[in-house]
Structure formats: structure tokens, C-alpha cells
Short mmCIF file of all heavy atoms in Angstrom, two decimals:
data_model
loop_
_atom_site.label_atom_id
_atom_site.label_comp_id
_atom_site.label_asym_id
_atom_site.label_seq_id
_atom_site.Cartn_x
_atom_site.Cartn_y
_atom_site.Cartn_z
N PHE A 1 -18.54 -10.27 25.77
CA PHE A 1 -17.32 -10.73 25.46
C PHE A 1 -17.32 -11.70 24.28
O PHE A 1 -16.45 -11.49 23.35
CB PHE A 1 -16.71 -11.48 26.65
CG PHE A 1 -15.40 -12.29 26.35
CD1 PHE A 1 -14.23 -11.56 26.25
CD2 PHE A 1 -15.42 -13.64 26.24
CE1 PHE A 1 -13.03 -12.23 25.98
CE2 PHE A 1 -14.25 -14.32 25.80
CZ PHE A 1 -13.05 -13.66 25.75
N TRP A 2 -18.24 -12.55 24.21
CA TRP A 2 -18.35 -13.51 23.17
C TRP A 2 -18.73 -12.90 21.86
O TRP A 2 -18.30 -13.17 20.76
CB TRP A 2 -19.21 -14.72 23.54
CG TRP A 2 -18.42 -15.61 24.46
CD1 TRP A 2 -18.74 -15.75 25.75
CD2 TRP A 2 -17.30 -16.40 24.17
NE1 TRP A 2 -17.74 -16.62 26.36
CE2 TRP A 2 -16.93 -16.96 25.47
CE3 TRP A 2 -16.49 -16.57 23.05
CZ2 TRP A 2 -15.75 -17.79 25.53
CZ3 TRP A 2 -15.43 -17.40 23.18
CH2 TRP A 2 -14.97 -18.04 24.32
N ALA A 3 -19.52 -11.77 21.99
CA ALA A 3 -19.86 -10.96 20.78
C ALA A 3 -18.64 -10.31 20.19
O ALA A 3 -18.43 -10.34 18.99
CB ALA A 3 -21.01 -9.99 21.03
N PHE A 4 -17.80 -9.79 21.11
CA PHE A 4 -16.49 -9.23 20.70
C PHE A 4 -15.59 -10.17 20.04
O PHE A 4 -14.90 -9.95 19.01
CB PHE A 4 -15.90 -8.57 21.93
CG PHE A 4 -14.52 -7.89 21.65
CD1 PHE A 4 -14.58 -6.69 21.06
CD2 PHE A 4 -13.38 -8.42 22.08
CE1 PHE A 4 -13.36 -5.96 20.77
CE2 PHE A 4 -12.19 -7.75 21.79
CZ PHE A 4 -12.19 -6.55 21.14
N VAL A 5 -15.47 -11.39 20.63
CA VAL A 5 -14.67 -12.47 20.05
C VAL A 5 -15.10 -12.79 18.67
O VAL A 5 -14.34 -12.96 17.73
CB VAL A 5 -14.63 -13.68 20.94
CG1 VAL A 5 -14.06 -14.93 20.20
CG2 VAL A 5 -13.94 -13.45 22.26
N GLN A 6 -16.54 -12.96 18.55
CA GLN A 6 -17.03 -13.21 17.19
C GLN A 6 -16.76 -12.21 16.15
O GLN A 6 -16.53 -12.36 14.98
CB GLN A 6 -18.55 -13.48 17.32
CG GLN A 6 -19.22 -14.03 16.01
CD GLN A 6 -18.65 -15.39 15.62
OE1 GLN A 6 -18.55 -16.34 16.40
NE2 GLN A 6 -18.12 -15.47 14.37
N GLU A 7 -16.78 -10.89 16.65
CA GLU A 7 -16.40 -9.73 15.69
C GLU A 7 -14.98 -10.01 15.18
O GLU A 7 -14.74 -9.77 13.99
CB GLU A 7 -16.40 -8.44 16.53
CG GLU A 7 -17.50 -7.53 16.24
CD GLU A 7 -17.40 -6.27 16.97
OE1 GLU A 7 -16.49 -5.48 16.69
OE2 GLU A 7 -18.18 -6.00 17.95
N GLY A 8 -14.07 -10.40 16.00
CA GLY A 8 -12.66 -10.62 15.58
C GLY A 8 -12.60 -11.83 14.67
O GLY A 8 -11.94 -11.80 13.68
N ILE A 9 -13.34 -12.89 14.92
CA ILE A 9 -13.40 -14.03 14.04
C ILE A 9 -13.94 -13.64 12.67
O ILE A 9 -13.40 -13.99 11.64
CB ILE A 9 -14.13 -15.20 14.66
CG1 ILE A 9 -13.48 -15.70 15.83
CG2 ILE A 9 -14.43 -16.31 13.65
CD1 ILE A 9 -14.20 -16.65 16.74
N ASP A 10 -15.06 -12.95 12.68
CA ASP A 10 -15.62 -12.43 11.43
C ASP A 10 -14.66 -11.57 10.63
O ASP A 10 -14.59 -11.71 9.40
CB ASP A 10 -17.00 -11.74 11.71
CG ASP A 10 -18.02 -12.66 12.26
OD1 ASP A 10 -17.89 -13.91 12.12
OD2 ASP A 10 -19.02 -12.12 12.77
N ALA A 11 -14.00 -10.65 11.31
CA ALA A 11 -13.05 -9.75 10.62
C ALA A 11 -11.86 -10.55 10.08
O ALA A 11 -11.47 -10.39 8.87
CB ALA A 11 -12.43 -8.75 11.58
N ALA A 12 -11.40 -11.58 10.79
CA ALA A 12 -10.33 -12.43 10.29
C ALA A 12 -10.84 -13.26 9.07
O ALA A 12 -10.11 -13.43 8.09
CB ALA A 12 -9.84 -13.41 11.36
N ASP A 13 -12.01 -13.72 9.15
CA ASP A 13 -12.59 -14.46 8.01
C ASP A 13 -12.72 -13.62 6.73
O ASP A 13 -12.64 -14.09 5.65
CB ASP A 13 -14.01 -15.03 8.41
CG ASP A 13 -13.89 -16.20 9.32
OD1 ASP A 13 -12.84 -16.80 9.56
OD2 ASP A 13 -15.02 -16.56 9.91
N ARG A 14 -12.84 -12.27 6.92
CA ARG A 14 -12.95 -11.37 5.84
C ARG A 14 -11.51 -10.94 5.36
O ARG A 14 -11.41 -10.20 4.34
CB ARG A 14 -13.78 -10.12 6.15
CG ARG A 14 -15.25 -10.30 6.35
CD ARG A 14 -16.01 -9.03 6.54
NE ARG A 14 -15.50 -8.21 7.57
CZ ARG A 14 -15.94 -8.31 8.90
NH1 ARG A 14 -16.94 -9.09 9.23
NH2 ARG A 14 -15.46 -7.47 9.77
N GLY A 15 -10.52 -11.46 6.02
CA GLY A 15 -9.16 -11.07 5.63
C GLY A 15 -8.73 -9.74 6.26
O GLY A 15 -7.69 -9.22 5.86
N GLU A 16 -9.40 -9.27 7.26
CA GLU A 16 -9.03 -8.00 7.87
C GLU A 16 -8.09 -8.31 9.01
O GLU A 16 -8.44 -8.34 10.12
CB GLU A 16 -10.31 -7.22 8.37
CG GLU A 16 -11.26 -6.88 7.25
CD GLU A 16 -12.62 -6.42 7.80
OE1 GLU A 16 -12.69 -6.27 8.94
OE2 GLU A 16 -13.42 -6.21 6.96
N LEU A 17 -6.81 -8.46 8.60
CA LEU A 17 -5.79 -8.80 9.56
C LEU A 17 -4.67 -7.80 9.67
O LEU A 17 -4.48 -7.06 8.73
CB LEU A 17 -5.17 -10.21 9.15
CG LEU A 17 -6.16 -11.33 9.01
CD1 LEU A 17 -5.49 -12.52 8.43
CD2 LEU A 17 -6.81 -11.67 10.45
N ILE A 18 -3.93 -7.74 10.73
CA ILE A 18 -2.83 -6.88 10.91
C ILE A 18 -1.63 -7.77 11.09
O ILE A 18 -1.58 -8.70 11.98
CB ILE A 18 -2.95 -6.01 12.15
CG1 ILE A 18 -4.18 -5.10 11.96
CG2 ILE A 18 -1.74 -5.10 12.44
CD1 ILE A 18 -4.60 -4.38 13.25
N SER A 19 -0.57 -7.47 10.39
CA SER A 19 0.71 -8.41 10.45
C SER A 19 1.36 -8.15 11.82
O SER A 19 1.16 -7.05 12.53
CB SER A 19 1.62 -8.07 9.32
OG SER A 19 2.27 -6.76 9.55
N GLN A 20 2.14 -9.06 12.15
CA GLN A 20 3.00 -8.96 13.41
C GLN A 20 3.85 -7.68 13.37
O GLN A 20 3.98 -6.93 14.33
CB GLN A 20 3.82 -10.19 13.59
CG GLN A 20 4.75 -10.13 14.79
CD GLN A 20 3.84 -10.41 16.07
OE1 GLN A 20 2.79 -10.95 16.09
NE2 GLN A 20 4.34 -9.85 17.20
N ASP A 21 4.46 -7.41 12.19
CA ASP A 21 5.37 -6.31 12.07
C ASP A 21 4.60 -4.96 12.29
O ASP A 21 4.99 -4.03 12.89
CB ASP A 21 6.07 -6.25 10.74
CG ASP A 21 7.12 -7.32 10.61
OD1 ASP A 21 7.61 -7.79 11.71
OD2 ASP A 21 7.38 -7.68 9.46
N GLU A 22 3.29 -4.86 11.65
CA GLU A 22 2.51 -3.65 11.80
C GLU A 22 2.04 -3.48 13.29
O GLU A 22 2.01 -2.35 13.77
CB GLU A 22 1.27 -3.86 10.91
CG GLU A 22 1.53 -3.68 9.47
CD GLU A 22 0.27 -4.00 8.67
OE1 GLU A 22 -0.36 -5.06 8.91
OE2 GLU A 22 -0.05 -3.22 7.75
N MET A 23 1.81 -4.53 13.92
CA MET A 23 1.37 -4.47 15.29
C MET A 23 2.45 -4.01 16.21
O MET A 23 2.26 -3.21 17.10
CB MET A 23 0.82 -5.82 15.82
CG MET A 23 0.01 -5.82 17.08
SD MET A 23 -1.47 -4.85 16.86
CE MET A 23 -1.53 -4.08 18.40
N GLU A 24 3.60 -4.58 15.94
CA GLU A 24 4.82 -4.23 16.75
C GLU A 24 5.18 -2.64 16.42
O GLU A 24 5.56 -2.02 17.48
CB GLU A 24 5.98 -5.08 16.49
CG GLU A 24 5.86 -6.44 17.08
CD GLU A 24 6.97 -7.39 16.65
OE1 GLU A 24 7.93 -6.94 16.06
OE2 GLU A 24 6.81 -8.57 17.01
N ALA A 25 5.13 -2.18 15.32
CA ALA A 25 5.36 -0.79 15.01
C ALA A 25 4.39 0.08 15.71
O ALA A 25 4.66 1.11 16.24
CB ALA A 25 5.36 -0.61 13.53
N TRP A 26 3.02 -0.31 15.69
CA TRP A 26 2.00 0.43 16.39
C TRP A 26 2.29 0.46 17.87
O TRP A 26 2.21 1.62 18.46
CB TRP A 26 0.62 -0.11 16.10
CG TRP A 26 -0.48 0.47 16.81
CD1 TRP A 26 -1.08 1.61 16.50
CD2 TRP A 26 -1.02 0.09 18.11
NE1 TRP A 26 -2.11 1.87 17.46
CE2 TRP A 26 -2.05 0.94 18.44
CE3 TRP A 26 -0.74 -1.00 18.90
CZ2 TRP A 26 -2.71 0.73 19.57
CZ3 TRP A 26 -1.45 -1.09 20.07
CH2 TRP A 26 -2.51 -0.25 20.43
N PHE A 27 2.65 -0.53 18.44
CA PHE A 27 2.90 -0.65 19.83
C PHE A 27 4.10 0.14 20.18
O PHE A 27 4.05 0.89 21.20
CB PHE A 27 3.11 -2.12 20.38
CG PHE A 27 3.37 -2.19 21.78
CD1 PHE A 27 2.34 -2.13 22.66
CD2 PHE A 27 4.60 -2.37 22.31
CE1 PHE A 27 2.53 -2.27 24.05
CE2 PHE A 27 4.89 -2.51 23.66
CZ PHE A 27 3.83 -2.41 24.52
#
């Protein structure tokens, strides 16, 4: 679990983010 959390933190630090609008459209 904590490795998965760290993956997300690392991705966010690299700027690999999804906007709220993109996420809502996907959902």
C-alpha cells in the first residue's frame, strides 16, 4: 500500500496529474 502511495506522490512530483474535469469525463 505504501509503495503504491509513494508511486502516486512520485508521479505528482513529476507533474503527471489528471485534472478534475478529465477525471469526471473518464468516470
Side-chain angles (χ1 to χ4, degrees):
F1 171 77
W2 286 109
F4 182 72
V5 168
Q6 189 61 53
E7 253 184 71
I9 292 169
D10 294 344
D13 288 346
R14 290 189 303 269
E16 299 169 2
L17 303 171
I18 299 172
S19 72
Q20 181 72 26
D21 291 338
E22 290 172 310
M23 192 68 217
E24 287 176 6
W26 174 83
F27 181 78

